[in-house]
Amino acid sequence: MLKVASYNMRKAIGTDRRRRPERTLEVLREIDADVIALQECDRRFGQRQGVISPHMLEEHSPWKAVSFGVRSGSMGWHGNAILVRKDAQILDCEIIHLPALEPRGAVMADLRIGGESLRVVGMHLDLSGLWRRRQAHAILTHLASSERAMPTVMMGDLNDWSAQSGCLRDFGKEFSFAPTGRSFHARRPIARLDRIMVSADLSIGDCGVNDSAAARTASDHLPVWAEVRRN
């Protein structure tokens, strides 16, 4: 059993409009997941530096960031990052270019955790439904073209409300959704914008939304989490 989580951390700017990366780490420690997909983890302009510094991650968390080697100061790619336990083995990693009107991307890592292999994809999809479907198609095509199939977890801010249409229906043809719950807006959640999906060789156990006092102020999204196991 592995615990995974997804969190749009909004560049560590909370609902109080203060940037506090230490508060973001507090929320992540509450969840205590083995693998975490982050969205909006880098500053938007300039060198796009990571909001959580490598020193802070090393000294105040049990995780390390998968290095995609794109920008030296960034934690990820277009704000997407993957954190894993420090004792996890990173077998491979790559970025996935997505069609978009504004900069969008996804990240993928092949991991070995506790003797189990797992492929993880983190994403933050477009506000436009048309572009979300194109981006979903690009991600699914990329996975299908991989030389090696692995149990796969995909997660992130999909910016879509209904699983009956759009990109969620496209993903749902091959992946199952964890019934995590509503994650946006953090102060009064009404929408299930943040999702966790698993391939057919994985089962979903307990799952939910981390609706703590810290999470309600750390970002405009609440983190979602799920326990997954190999069938």
Side-chain angles (χ1 to χ4, degrees), residues 69-89:
V70 182
R71 297 186 179 95
S72 60
S74 298
M75 182 182 285
W77 163 249
H78 287 312
N80 295 284
I82 296 174
L83 302 183
V84 297
R85 298 277 186 193
K86 289 175 181 173
D87 60 355
Q89 183 180 0

Side-chain angles (χ1 to χ4, degrees), residues 106-173:
V107 291
M108 186 171 84
D110 292 347
L111 310 170
R112 187 176 299 279
I113 307 174
E116 293 290 337
S117 297
L118 185 70
R119 175 168 290 157
V120 177
V121 178
M123 67 188 78
H124 187 183
L125 301 189
D126 207 282
L127 294 173
S128 160
L130 174 63
W131 287 100
R132 283 197 300 270
R133 295 199 68 183
R134 292 174 176 174
Q135 291 160 1
H137 177 74
I139 292 169
L140 292 170
T141 299
H142 188 87
L143 288 173
S145 66
S146 177
E147 295 181 356
R148 179 175 59 173
M150 295 178 65
T152 300
V153 175
M154 299 199 299
M155 46 188 172
D157 179 357
L158 273 59
N159 267 319
D160 213 333
W161 291 59
S162 174
Q164 307 305 315
S165 61
C167 74
L168 298 185
R169 184 175 62 183
D170 297 336
F171 282 128
K173 294 175 182 178

